[in-house]
Amino acid sequence: MVGDLLETVTFMLRIGVPIVMLIIMILSFLSLRSGRREEHALIALDDEDRNIRYPVLYWENSLGRSRNSDIHIPDATVSRDHAVLLRREAGWFITDTGSRSGVFVNNRKIAGRHPVFVGDQITLGMTTLTLRRADDPTEANQRRKLKPPAPQKTIPGSILLALITSLMLILLVEGSVYAQNVDALPHTLIFCGMIWLFYQLSVHVFHRKNFELESLALMLSGTGIVLNALHDTKQAYSQLIALTLGILFYCFMIWFIGSPDRVMKWRIVIYLLAIGLLGLTLVLGKSVNGAKNWIFIGPISVQPSEFAKIALIFVGASTLDHLQTKKNLLGFILFTGICVGMFFLMSDFGTALIFFVTFLVIAFMRSGDFKTVILAIAAAVIGVLLILTIKPYIAERFQAWGHVWDYADTAGYQQVNVLICSASGGMFGLGLTRGFLQYVFASESDLVFGLISEEMGLIVALLISVVIGGFMIYARAVTTRSRSAFYSITACTAAGLLVFQAALNIFGVTDILPLTGVTLPFVSYGGTSMIACWGLLSFIKAADERTYSQKLRGNPRPNTKE
């Protein structure tokens, strides 16, 4: 009788898990668009000869003859990409981006980034533009009519955290009943205390009003930690430490990214540190599961390639005035090539593939040119064919792909067990700790999607996939009025990297793609991966205008000469 009652209760808890997850996900994504800056002009540029007013809508604006320019100037004497008008905390600036005729401010030719003030005349080719305030009365009849977004209410972070805490307690109770112990209790309580402390710091120290992005990441991280605690308490403690370091890294990164100019100054240092760290891995690294990408310092193991992903985004992205000149493009290509080559030497093909796809995303966002992407893909295909010819053993590593049942006792052993166990879990799972996949190597890391499908059910596994995929939607939404091209590129690239890595993990363990041994972001066991994922998340957070003070988010007053 008691056994039947417990089974009924635990089954209800298993049903409750996806319901709570779904509520957290819906509330977070409904809230993310609230509090955005109204889409009105910040300043204006008047072409008095043509009687045209150009409203300046963004923090970085391209000026040129190209129709893709933010401010399109129909003048044959103006270069396609002539100049960039940008705002920083110190005021507004104009930069010549390699134009034929140069840029003149008040009839004086400028070099580099030059400040501009209300009333200044900016000459591009034969066109002269006068900088005006956006609220100048003459704008009423000529400026573009822009409707502000409908007001939306932000969901308080306390509500989202209360739901996450409830979710963790549900998982704890369910797992403790099935495991017949409370070994996971300390880890769950530490995690819940940690996330509430993080929230208080965000609200009272950093003065941030929105907590949706962090809530989604904490839900994923907490699910992985409780899952680890129920199967291996030592791993769970390591993951809690990694989560703490990840959150601290996240906070530092948001501060660091807060100034695009600061990032540009440090970019070469980041470039050299990343290459040096990967070079050190080649020399001192040890091979784990066929890939020589780990450095061991006593009991601590570090995977430097995870941090190289962050460095790639720093090196590839730029503020618009640098993008237009394209002076840093060669350095970005060189950095990517060196890193991918090192990954091949390490036999870390999963990370090499992630790096290449990230390179394609950044290359397209920088140029908007599909031909560049196609050319890069063609070069990569030739490179892969050459490597397979020189080192045929690499092809043998993928021989089980698409035929795992033929290699069920050898190369396809892990995928076969994932497929069987995932199917046995059904919609709501067998229950935490009741699965078989926990006894298969790497079940909490590379195979964690299968473990979740078996013990927590297909619905939970799919919800986790949707949340990670939603980071891309989140990034796209917050970058539509981003303060800088740097934020647009970094946020979308970081989100795309997380989504692609999740796809490699999920499709790899289910034999849709070759098994590459990459982790499921935020969920898989792995300290370096956890820290790096929070670092990537900071790029998305930094692109959200709500992250910073109202002073930076509002309608800034242009410089005056007084």
Side-chain angles (χ1 to χ4, degrees):
M1 187 68 176
V2 175
D4 293 339
L5 179 60
L6 283 176
E7 188 63 35
T8 302
V9 171
T10 51
F11 181 72
M12 295 302 295
L13 292 175
R14 298 208 309 268
I15 295 177
V17 169
I19 293 175
V20 177
M21 278 189 168
L22 183 62
I23 293 172
I24 295 170
M25 184 181 72
I26 291 174
L27 290 179
S28 297
F29 285 118
L30 285 177
S31 179
L32 74 91
R33 297 180 71 89
S34 62
R36 292 176 57 202
R37 169 171 62 84
E38 293 184 354
E39 298 178 2
H40 54 62
L42 302 174
I43 55 173
L45 293 173
D46 284 347
D47 184 345
E48 296 175 353
D49 293 337
R50 296 186 179 90
N51 196 27
I52 298 174
R53 166 158 288 199
Y54 299 102
V56 177
L57 305 177
Y58 312 119
W59 295 79
E60 294 184 351
N61 307 266
S62 57
L63 288 74
R65 193 179 75 251
S66 170
R67 293 191 177 275
N68 293 324
S69 298
D70 297 315
I71 298 176
H72 165 59
I73 303 174
D75 180 350
T77 63
V78 174
S79 299
R80 289 181 57 81
D81 300 310
H82 200 111
V84 167
L85 179 67
L86 70 160
R87 188 195 187 266
R88 292 295 181 258
E89 290 187 56
W92 289 90
F93 299 84
I94 187 86
T95 302
D96 184 354
T97 53
S99 64
R100 295 190 305 271
S101 57
V103 175
F104 294 80
V105 175
N106 298 327
N107 297 319
R108 296 184 63 180
K109 190 171 185 178
I110 67 167
R113 187 180 290 183
H114 191 278
V116 287
F117 304 88
V118 172
D120 279 352
Q121 292 187 325
I122 303 169
T123 303
L124 314 175
M126 299 297 293
T127 298
T128 297
L129 305 172
T130 304
L131 184 69
R132 302 292 188 191
R133 297 185 188 276
D135 54 3
D136 189 298
T138 61
E139 184 180 5
N141 298 324
Q142 299 181 50
R143 79 173 193 175
R144 189 192 310 176
K145 301 297 182 182
L146 297 167
K147 295 181 180 179
Q152 297 178 348
K153 186 177 180 180
T154 303
I155 303 298
S158 57
I159 293 178
L160 296 173
L161 276 194
L163 289 168
I164 294 172
T165 302
S166 301
L167 175 64
M168 296 303 110
L169 293 177
I170 290 173
L171 294 174
L172 171 66
V173 172
E174 177 198 338
S176 297
V177 170
Y178 284 131
Q180 297 184 352
N181 62 59
V182 290
D183 291 348
L185 178 62
H187 312 82
T188 307
L189 294 180
I190 291 172
F191 173 78
C192 292
M194 182 190 304
I195 64 175
W196 280 100
L197 177 61
F198 178 31
Y199 174 67
Q200 294 301 318
L201 289 174
S202 296
V203 172
H204 299 294
V205 177
F206 301 119
H207 306 292
R208 294 181 188 135
K209 305 300 181 184
N210 58 317
F211 205 70
E212 310 98 352
L213 189 64
E214 293 92 336
S215 295
L216 294 170
L218 288 172
M219 182 181 74
L220 298 176
S221 302
T223 302
I225 286 172
V226 174
L227 197 64
N228 264 283
L230 291 166
H231 292 102
D232 190 324
T233 55
K234 290 184 179 179
Q235 284 189 355
Y237 279 123
S238 299
Q239 202 70 346
L240 279 169
I241 295 172
L243 175 61
T244 304
L245 295 175
I247 290 174
L248 292 174
F249 186 44
Y250 172 80
C251 294
F252 167 78
M253 284 280 289
I254 291 175
W255 167 81
F256 183 68
I257 301 169
S259 170
D261 290 338
R262 176 168 54 227
V263 174
M264 296 304 293
K265 290 178 182 178
W266 282 89
R267 199 171 58 151
I268 297 299
V269 175
I270 296 171
Y271 184 116
L272 296 175
L273 282 175
I275 292 179
L277 202 56
L278 291 178
L280 191 66
T281 306
L282 277 175
V283 176
L284 303 179
K286 294 185 178 180
S287 180
V288 176
N289 302 325
K292 187 182 178 181
N293 58 352
W294 291 89
I295 292 179
F296 287 85
I297 306 172
I300 300 173
S301 58
V302 180
Q303 194 173 7
S305 58
E306 293 290 338
F307 298 115
K309 298 173 186 175
I310 297 173
L312 176 64
I313 297 176
F314 273 126
V315 173
S318 298
T319 53
L320 190 60
D321 52 340
H322 285 81
L323 283 179
Q324 291 286 320
T325 57
K326 300 180 181 179
K327 291 181 179 179
N328 55 23
L329 180 60
L330 181 61
F332 170 53
I333 295 174
L334 182 63
F335 177 78
T336 306
I338 292 173
C339 290
V340 170
M342 288 184 175
F343 292 139
F344 271 98
L345 292 176
M346 298 176 194
S347 297
D348 189 356
F349 306 112
T351 304
L353 183 57
I354 290 172
F355 244 65
F356 179 68
V357 171
T358 304
F359 167 79
L360 293 181
V361 173
I362 295 177
F364 177 72
M365 292 194 70
R366 288 174 63 112
S367 65
D369 186 4
F370 280 106
K371 291 183 291 185
T372 302
V373 175
I374 294 172
L375 182 63
I377 293 174
V381 170
I382 294 173
V384 169
L385 292 175
L386 182 62
I387 291 172
L388 292 178
T389 302
I390 298 173
K391 298 184 177 182
Y393 73 88
I394 294 177
E396 296 175 3
R397 296 188 58 181
F398 299 101
Q399 63 182 352
W401 175 34
H403 308 281
V404 292
W405 297 100
D406 297 333
Y407 299 89
D409 295 326
T410 54
Y413 178 78
Q414 289 177 306
Q415 290 110 311
V416 165
N417 277 281
V418 166
L419 293 172
I420 294 173
C421 293
S422 298
S424 66
M427 291 296 178
F428 300 105
L430 300 176
L432 292 171
T433 74
R434 299 181 75 184
F436 169 78
L437 195 62
Q438 62 182 304
Y439 303 111
V440 177
F441 176 73
S443 60
E444 289 91 9
S445 53
D446 298 348
L447 312 182
V448 73
F449 182 80
L451 184 65
I452 291 172
S453 299
E454 181 186 23
E455 297 191 356
M456 302 175 70
L458 179 63
I459 296 177
V460 171
L462 291 178
L463 283 175
I464 288 174
S465 306
V466 170
V467 169
I468 297 175
F471 289 145
M472 195 69 212
I473 300 174
Y474 194 117
R476 178 66 182 86
V478 299
T479 57
T480 52
R481 287 294 180 267
S482 182
R483 298 184 300 132
S484 169
F486 172 81
Y487 292 112
S488 298
I489 294 173
T490 56
C492 290
T493 303
L497 194 157
L498 289 170
V499 171
F500 182 69
Q501 180 171 324
L504 281 182
N505 177 276
I506 295 169
F507 296 146
V509 298
T510 52
D511 198 34
I512 298 174
L513 292 174
L515 183 62
T516 53
V518 299
T519 56
L520 185 63
F522 298 101
V523 183
S524 290
Y525 170 70
T528 312
S529 174
M530 176 69 81
I531 297 170
C533 285
W534 279 92
L536 291 170
L537 197 74
S538 66
F539 287 114
I540 307 174
K541 183 70 174 181
D544 191 339
E545 289 183 340
R546 298 171 299 169
T547 302
Y548 301 97
S549 66
Q550 186 66 32
K551 179 182 69 173
L552 292 177
R553 291 172 48 214
N555 185 6
R557 307 295 294 180
N559 311 41
T560 57
K561 295 183 180 180
E562 293 80 9

